[in-house]
Amino acid sequence: MPTHTLPDFRAIEAAAARIAPHAHRTPVMRSHSLDELAGAELHFKCEHLQRAGAFKFRGACNAVWSLGDADAARGVVTHSSGNHGAALALAARTRGIQAHVVVPEGAVRSKVAAIEAYGATLHRCAPTIAAREAAAESVREATGATLVHPYTDPRVIAGQGTAALELLREVDGLDALVTPVGGGGLIGGSALAARALAPGIAVFAAEPSGAADAYEALRRGTRVTDIVPDTICDGLRGTIGAINFELLGACAVRVLTVDDDDTLAAQRLIAARLKQVVEPSSAIALAAVFVHRDLFSGRRVGIILSGGNVD
């Protein structure tokens, strides 16, 4: 599938059927005490309980099982700070094919360990997007593996959208949906699902103030690629992809910025009230509800807890 093709809702439905034998249908959790604190009715889609510990398995699995046999036999390659790499490694293992993962120096140790545990071949590189992309292209040329980009691949976006698909079909009448945003795979797929299943729903993306390229991109009307990320949310440091930025505009997504201190406070609340361990890149979605309280007060809000891989 060419990387410039925008996915649609039919692609999400097809992805849901394709990954059903392999991915978990994650639970939706509630907390009355968090509802009281937020002044809203919160429904948490628990993707930290997904295989490989994050929603990323959905997109990786859809991409891997979309391949024809000849392409699959040559394996897959990606670059990732952790969750997507682990997800692709596990997805490749479900099909019995090789995965190559380019990992930047400084990646979270637990995430790198997961990539190795799932049997992928690791390739180290400098901690920049340019270095990651160059290394992945080098591996692709050497091996013939198919590149499965962490967020600009339409197959990945469609797979990520299956989490919101499940949430919206399980919980009727949501007024708002909140997901984190980094490269934009999750919010892109989620927004597509939301617009198809609940056209009137407000869709929000939570982004670290120290890595607010998606916010700036929407404000300026063009992608912003010169921001150097400074945030504890290691999974949200990627620059919004071109196809993902297009989906933000097409689906009328609003980006909400959140400071790291507020994200860490939300992470602690999730541990205390839901008894769930999530990473900062996940907790930011709840933090956005607290920080931007006026947007959510009195509303039924779906929150996608994206991952739980944290040191």
Side-chain angles (χ1 to χ4, degrees), residues 1 5 11 16 33 43 74 76 84 91 127 181 254 260 277:
M1 184 182 295
T5 302
S33 64
H43 299 259
R74 290 189 287 271
V76 289
H84 175 69
V181 62
R254 181 172 175 183
D260 279 355
V277 176

Side-chain angles (χ1 to χ4, degrees), residues 89-280:
L90 178 57
R93 194 171 79 175
T94 68
R95 194 164 179 184
I97 64 176
Q98 181 61 50
H100 299 270
V101 181
V102 173
V103 178
E105 296 295 340
V108 175
R109 290 189 302 275
S110 61
K111 295 182 179 181
V112 177
I115 295 170
E116 291 181 304
Y118 292 133
T121 301
L122 260 62
H123 306 265
R124 298 282 187 172
C125 74
T128 67
I129 294 295
R132 286 164 54 155
E133 291 179 345
E137 177 60 17
S138 178
V139 173
R140 188 194 67 78
E141 290 179 349
T143 63
T146 296
L147 177 67
V148 179
H149 193 277
Y151 45 85
T152 64
D153 189 316
R155 300 164 298 190
V156 169
I157 295 170
Q160 315 305 33
T162 62
L165 179 78
E166 290 176 6
L167 173 61
L168 291 164
R169 284 180 169 164
E170 181 172 340
V171 182
D172 291 330
L174 289 178
D175 302 303
L177 176 67
V178 188
T179 88
V181 62
L186 177 61
I187 187 59
S190 297
L192 283 170
R195 291 292 166 247
L197 295 175
I201 196 171
V203 182
F204 299 94
E207 185 171 47
S209 300
D213 63 283
Y215 176 84
E216 281 298 314
L218 287 179
R219 188 178 72 83
R220 301 182 195 179
T222 186
R223 283 181 71 226
V224 176
T225 59
D226 58 355
I227 290 178
V228 178
D230 180 15
T231 176
I232 196 170
C233 301
D234 64 288
L236 306 182
R237 293 172 185 157
T239 301
I240 190 83
I243 185 174
N244 313 88
F245 175 58
E246 188 173 344
L247 284 171
L248 290 185
C251 296
V253 175
R254 181 172 175 183
V255 178
L256 307 175
T257 59
V258 180
D259 292 340
D260 279 355
D261 286 348
D262 293 313
T263 292
L264 290 173
Q267 184 185 27
R268 289 191 290 269
L269 274 174
I270 290 168
R273 305 300 175 92
L274 280 181
K275 310 302 180 188
Q276 300 297 306
V277 176
V278 302
E279 57 194 273

